[in-house]
Amino acid sequence: VIVIAISYYQTLSILSKHLTLPYSLSQILYVVEFINISGSGFGLECLNPLLSDYLTQYIVIMLQPIAIVAVGALLFAVGRLAIRVLQHKSKSWWKFMCGRSVLFMVNFVYFPVVTQAISVFSCESDPVTGVSYMSNDPAIECSYVPIALKVVCIILYTAGIFALFAALVLRHQHGSTATRLRIRKYFGFFFDPYRSEYAYLSLVYLLRRVTFSLLNGLISNDSVILFATNILVLVASSSIALIAWPFKMELDNNLEMITSIILTASYSLAYALSSSVASTVDNQSIGVLPATIFYFLLQAIVAVVLFIVLFASKAPLKFFSIAKLKRTTSVSPESVSANA
């Protein structure tokens, strides 16, 4: 449930970020920007004016996943030392909690980070001066970010991360019993929601995020081609989910379909308003207010449904549940073989 919620709001934010929208509609989208913490407007300039530099912000954004892993490793080391000094018996739980927290946070920042890594390659040349400027930030020359840094980041966060998780899925599906148990212990959030035969679909959802980042980072944001391709990806992923019904819980399958349908409708409505004459006259147009109200209702439906499901299912508590750790570590070889 938590992952579906994060995926919905991050995707909506990134798809609609650079559309030219009526003021009333753009204010609604600003509300969902909280889930896109790695995007522009990171707020570093509030800490120090020197941090307002574009290259500095780009480097900080690219370092977020690495910083999360480093902080997690530090907390694990400190916690393990404290447990040893106090002779407490919570070493397994602390290791489990640190590992799962780090992986969850990396998953949280991954989509915005990879979008930022890709967007610096989208450039437009000035017909007068011949200088190339970034499409998403025309005030910045493309050469301002060193090409070596761009290449390293895009390889690391697109092909590198995808290859890492692809190898993880392959080891989980075809590895030994001990390997599967070890993988499920720390990467359970990646596999647990899926039925055993559809574990590969976790890669499809990861690929969808990378595809959205590539499309919206490299293609002009007001392009009809971009809109059509985004809709195609949304419809394709929704169709796969509808046919496979991949999650163990019916609630997750239904929630995935509801959010996918509303996401497609919300993006289509935002694009229609962006492309229409109504977006230039804002609330003076008779069509803007009803469209904004309808858009608000769509987001309200998602928010209410997610809120009810999240707390009714006690998902935040289950995420770090010690019972989950015990279930994960006590799976019998027979059940693992059966699931495979």
Side-chain angles (χ1 to χ4, degrees), residues 29-82:
L29 283 172
Y30 285 147
V31 176
V32 303
E33 270 293 310
F34 76 94
I35 205 76
N36 193 16
I37 61 171
S38 299
S40 60
F42 191 63
L44 294 176
E45 62 276 3
C46 297
L47 301 176
N48 191 319
L50 296 177
L51 297 178
S52 61
D53 177 67
Y54 183 89
L55 180 58
T56 302
Q57 293 196 5
Y58 174 80
I59 293 173
V60 169
I61 290 171
M62 292 301 105
L63 287 176
Q64 279 188 52
I66 298 173
I68 290 171
V69 173
V71 170
L74 179 62
L75 288 175
F76 170 70
V78 171
R80 191 170 183 178
L81 179 62

Side-chain angles (χ1 to χ4, degrees), residues 168-324:
L168 196 66
V169 171
L170 288 173
R171 291 195 66 188
H172 176 268
Q173 294 298 98
H174 303 290
S176 64
T177 299
T179 299
R180 294 178 194 176
L181 291 175
R182 188 164 56 251
I183 290 174
R184 294 192 70 85
K185 182 176 180 180
Y186 300 108
F187 296 87
F189 79 94
F190 197 67
F191 298 101
D192 286 345
Y194 299 93
R195 288 187 285 165
S196 57
E197 66 269 28
Y198 289 116
Y200 287 107
L201 281 182
S202 57
L203 291 177
V204 173
Y205 285 101
L206 180 60
L207 183 61
R208 184 181 74 169
R209 300 166 84 181
V210 175
T211 302
F212 279 136
S213 297
L214 285 168
L215 291 173
N216 294 273
L218 299 178
I219 303 177
S220 176
N221 295 99
D222 57 353
S223 168
V224 177
I225 296 176
L226 176 61
F227 169 73
T229 311
N230 282 333
I231 292 295
L232 180 62
V233 174
L234 285 171
V235 171
S237 61
S238 299
S239 300
I240 292 173
L242 182 61
I243 294 171
W245 217 241
F247 299 111
K248 294 176 183 176
M249 297 179 61
E250 285 294 303
L251 179 63
D252 288 342
N253 286 306
N254 291 319
L255 193 59
E256 174 67 23
M257 291 308 304
I258 291 172
T259 55
S260 295
I261 292 170
I262 294 182
L263 178 61
T264 305
S266 299
Y267 175 57
S268 300
L269 179 60
Y271 182 82
L273 282 172
S274 175
S275 303
S276 69
V277 179
S279 64
T280 62
V281 294
D282 200 33
N283 293 336
Q284 296 178 13
S285 171
I286 194 172
V288 170
L289 183 58
T292 303
I293 293 174
F294 181 61
Y295 189 91
F296 176 79
L297 288 175
L298 289 176
Q299 307 319 313
I301 290 171
V302 173
V304 170
V305 169
L306 289 174
F307 181 83
I308 293 174
V309 171
L310 186 65
F311 288 94
S313 63
K314 299 181 180 180
L317 296 178
K318 290 179 181 179
F319 187 80
F320 294 116
S321 172
I322 230 173
K324 179 184 282 288

Side-chain angles (χ1 to χ4, degrees), residues 5-197:
I6 290 174
S7 177
Y8 173 83
Y9 286 112
Q10 284 189 338
T11 305
L12 177 65
S13 174
I14 288 173
L15 292 182
S16 307
K17 190 174 183 62
H18 298 288
L19 293 176
T20 305
L21 298 171
Y23 177 79
S24 52
L25 192 60
S26 63
Q27 298 308 299
I28 298 175
L29 283 172
Y30 285 147
V31 176
V32 303
E33 270 293 310
F34 76 94
I35 205 76
N36 193 16
I37 61 171
S38 299
S40 60
F42 191 63
L44 294 176
E45 62 276 3
C46 297
L47 301 176
N48 191 319
L50 296 177
L51 297 178
S52 61
D53 177 67
Y54 183 89
L55 180 58
T56 302
Q57 293 196 5
Y58 174 80
I59 293 173
V60 169
I61 290 171
M62 292 301 105
L63 287 176
Q64 279 188 52
I66 298 173
I68 290 171
V69 173
V71 170
L74 179 62
L75 288 175
F76 170 70
V78 171
R80 191 170 183 178
L81 179 62
I83 290 170
R84 182 176 298 177
V85 171
L86 298 174
Q87 296 183 344
H88 202 274
K89 297 182 180 180
S90 300
K91 184 172 70 172
S92 296
W93 177 82
W94 181 252
K95 188 177 181 180
F96 167 81
M97 192 189 74
C98 287
R100 179 154 287 206
S101 298
V102 167
L103 291 169
F104 177 77
M105 287 303 300
V106 169
N107 179 65
F108 179 67
V109 303
Y110 175 73
F111 197 0
V113 167
V114 73
T115 301
Q116 181 71 19
I118 291 170
S119 66
V120 295
F121 284 90
S122 178
C123 300
E124 295 180 2
S125 180
D126 188 314
V128 178
T129 63
V131 178
S132 293
Y133 295 91
M134 294 186 184
S135 301
N136 294 331
D137 199 336
I140 307 297
E141 293 185 17
C142 281
S143 59
Y144 191 62
V145 178
I147 186 64
L149 180 60
K150 292 181 184 180
V151 171
V152 168
C153 290
I154 198 170
I155 291 176
L156 174 63
Y157 290 124
T158 54
I161 295 296
F162 185 81
L164 176 64
F165 276 97
L168 196 66
V169 171
L170 288 173
R171 291 195 66 188
H172 176 268
Q173 294 298 98
H174 303 290
S176 64
T177 299
T179 299
R180 294 178 194 176
L181 291 175
R182 188 164 56 251
I183 290 174
R184 294 192 70 85
K185 182 176 180 180
Y186 300 108
F187 296 87
F189 79 94
F190 197 67
F191 298 101
D192 286 345
Y194 299 93
R195 288 187 285 165
S196 57
E197 66 269 28

